[in-house]
Amino acid sequence: MSQTPSNIQRAAVIGAGTMGRGIVMCLANAGVAVQWVDNNPQMLEQALTSVADTYAHSVRQGRIDQAEADDRIARVTTAPDYAAIRDVDLVIEAVYENLELKQKIFRELDALLKPEAILASNTSALDIDTIAAVTRRPQQVLGLHFFSPAHIMKLLEIVRGAQTAPAVLEAALALGKRMGKVSIVAGNCPGFIGNRMLRTYTHEARKMLLEGAFPHQVDAALQGFGFAMGPFRMYDVVGVDLEWRARQLSGTGQDAPQFQVDNRLCEAGRFGQKSGNGYYHYEPGSRQAEHDPQVDALVLQVSEDLGFHRREIGPEEVLERCLLALVNEGAKILEEGIAGSAHDIDLVYLNGYGFPADKGGPMAWADQQGLADVHQRLVALETRQGDHWRPARLIGELAAGGKGFADK
Ligand code: NAD
């Protein structure tokens, strides 16, 4: 195997969208020279201006001085093509979430870049091994999953492919440290640690809308527990349409009952904050989520159309279902070795998903409840709600031994 650069000095970022912009700043802030590529030159121009604006804002706020801002900006240059970035130590790809597109880019990069260069993808959920498989250097390929906004969010999921070399993981961990990130190594599975757990949590939140709750009630319960924002406010921030478009593209999931509220919102052009309406209403120029009775009416209509008999759902049930969904999936992730420890899962949730710090993370919270108790509550949910609540094997085993996740 070629010598992996242990100290990354030069990097390239492919894609100048939301994530590319933040990632470029993370690298420049850490003293890494960055070359930036986007197949849309206008996008690249806009992105450079936006990075310069962000640094100017930091100077005005007194967070960095002008000389530091100038140094950081000077580290960022644009590149016309992949031939121009052939000598970099690391490439981070942040283009659209599309497997074929990412594979095409990795194939081209593999052909042009020096053999020891590391190729990383910022994919949120795609299979790192399938991307690595199109290269001749799968040992040099990994996921570097940043969170939005990348230059602010502390979390970095470092996704280990089946063939990723230990030295490549070490280099990524060292870079994460230089960027000031909380870096967590995750195994390769759909959604890795954070988004895989999030899927089960939002599944419950959405189901409760059909069964009797309204978005503001679900959010209020979780925010009352201490989450930075509830799932529906979160969808408004990231864009309700992202998953809707992904379902349309992949042709899967669109008919599932729990997505029908999202579908109707998107069909009505309610994409979230960016369109002024989503699960909430936003006054022009404001990010303040305002309760919108039209959304409640839409939720009522959807659940009636689907034949649900609505019932009162209190904050206790919201917490029970959303938190235990996280815990049960977290346990499976631990059991499968996708996460190295329960503490790693907690760090993902504390630093990337707004889980309340004083509760220590979902797995620490479960340990505080006692796993025997958690197990019983999951069995009760399984009886009431169905198979998807079957407790993870690990929970039963730890509970039987009087242990917690922290003992694993
Ligand atoms: P975006 O749509 O904002 O930006 C994508 C950029 O890629 C655009 O500038 C586009 O011009 C460019 N691009 C497309 N095809 C290209 C090509 N062939 N060569 C070079 N550039 C090309 O997307 P985003 O939100 O920044 O997401 C990028 C990636 O990061 C996706 O894989 C996404 O799943 C992942 N991600 C997104 C978030 C988020 O919150 N937005 C969070 C974590 C990870």
Side-chain angles (χ1 to χ4, degrees):
M1 192 184 97
S2 314
Q3 187 66 42
T4 305
S6 54
N7 185 12
I8 288 157
Q9 300 288 354
R10 301 182 58 187
V13 171
I14 318 290
T18 310
M19 295 310 290
R21 294 172 194 205
I23 295 168
V24 159
M25 286 189 275
C26 291
L27 291 165
N29 297 354
V32 178
V34 199
Q35 289 178 281
W36 209 353
V37 183
D38 196 293
N39 66 348
N40 179 343
Q42 231 178 334
M43 194 70 171
L44 203 47
E45 267 316 301
Q46 276 173 19
L48 267 181
T49 308
S50 133
V51 164
D53 287 349
T54 304
Y55 284 137
H57 184 69
S58 298
V59 172
R60 283 196 302 278
Q61 300 262 304
R63 284 198 290 269
I64 52 172
D65 62 22
Q66 189 60 49
E68 179 62 29
D70 292 344
D71 284 349
R72 293 181 186 188
I73 292 170
R75 287 186 198 118
V76 182
T77 53
T78 60
D81 51 34
Y82 299 153
I85 61 169
R86 61 175 1 126
D87 292 327
V88 297
D89 304 317
L90 164 75
V91 177
I92 304 177
E93 164 279 309
V95 305
Y96 306 131
E97 185 78 339
N98 176 299
L99 181 64
E100 287 74 31
L101 175 63
K102 290 186 194 282
Q103 285 180 318
K104 178 174 172 284
I105 290 173
F106 272 67
R107 205 176 279 121
E108 287 172 24
L109 289 170
D110 184 46
L112 281 168
L113 262 59
K114 61 183 182 187
E116 62 269 36
I118 297 172
L119 307 184
S121 174
N122 181 50
T123 177
S124 312
L126 295 175
D127 183 352
I128 291 297
D129 291 332
T130 314
I131 298 174
V134 302
T135 72
R136 291 161 305 174
R137 60 177 96 191
Q139 72 283 358
Q140 310 270 120
V141 176
L142 81 172
L144 287 180
H145 184 208
F146 290 78
F147 289 71
S148 184
H151 60 297
I152 296 189
M153 295 293 285
K154 280 275 178 214
L155 181 63
L156 177 66
E157 271 186 326
I158 298 180
V159 186
R160 168 172 38 81
Q163 296 192 54
T164 310
V168 171
L169 286 179
E170 287 305 319
L173 283 163
L175 178 66
K177 198 166 185 186
R178 280 165 70 195
M179 292 189 294
K181 298 292 183 195
V182 173
S183 303
I184 302 296
V185 177
N188 181 33
C189 68
F192 318 126
I193 297 175
N195 284 344
R196 173 167 158 186
M197 288 168 66
L198 189 73
R199 212 167 287 165
T200 62
Y201 163 90
T202 55
H203 177 85
E204 289 310 309
R206 284 175 164 129
K207 270 189 71 191
M208 282 186 273
L209 297 189
L210 303 178
E211 293 171 21
F214 291 109
H216 68 279
Q217 293 171 335
V218 174
D219 284 351
L222 289 157
Q223 286 157 206
F225 178 75
F227 270 94
M229 61 177 92
F232 299 111
R233 274 188 58 200
M234 180 199 75
Y235 275 120
D236 271 2
V237 172
V238 300
V240 187
D241 58 316
L242 287 194
E243 290 191 8
W244 178 62
R245 288 184 210 284
R247 288 194 297 277
Q248 279 177 331
L249 270 178
S250 68
T252 54
Q254 203 70 310
D255 297 335
Q258 73 272 16
F259 294 130
Q260 299 315 308
V261 172
D262 292 57
N263 289 355
R264 301 262 185 104
L265 287 172
C266 290
E267 283 154 19
R270 301 188 65 123
F271 296 154
Q273 265 183 15
K274 61 186 170 189
S275 60
N277 288 299
Y279 278 102
Y280 295 90
H281 172 72
Y282 303 85
E283 285 299 313
S286 165
R287 291 182 177 179
Q288 184 66 43
E290 291 174 19
H291 175 218
D292 186 344
Q294 281 187 43
V295 174
D296 294 351
L298 185 147
V299 167
L300 277 178
Q301 189 63 54
V302 171
S303 65
E304 192 185 315
D305 291 352
L306 290 169
F308 280 87
H309 299 289
R310 292 178 71 80
R311 61 183 172 83
E312 191 79 23
I313 293 186
E316 304 77 23
E317 181 173 347
V318 172
L319 292 184
E320 184 75 353
R321 288 171 64 176
C322 287
L323 295 174
L324 289 180
L326 284 179
V327 170
N328 206 27
E329 197 63 24
K332 291 175 193 170
I333 280 172
L334 203 51
E335 194 178 292
E336 292 167 26
I338 296 293
S341 68
H343 184 56
D344 276 2
I345 297 177
D346 285 337
L347 286 175
V348 166
Y349 263 75
L350 293 171
N351 292 287
Y353 293 85
F355 197 95
D358 61 343
K359 309 284 194 310
M363 310 313 270
W365 174 82
D367 278 352
Q368 289 152 26
Q369 310 290 300
L371 288 193
D373 184 46
V374 165
H375 190 267
Q376 246 175 25
R377 285 153 66 181
L378 285 167
V379 171
L381 281 164
E382 186 187 3
T383 311
R384 281 204 307 276
Q385 296 268 335
D387 282 357
H388 70 286
W389 279 109
R390 179 159 310 143
R393 183 175 48 77
L394 180 65
I395 297 180
E397 284 171 10
L398 290 172
K403 292 182 176 162
F405 288 124
D407 303 311
K408 162 90 171 88

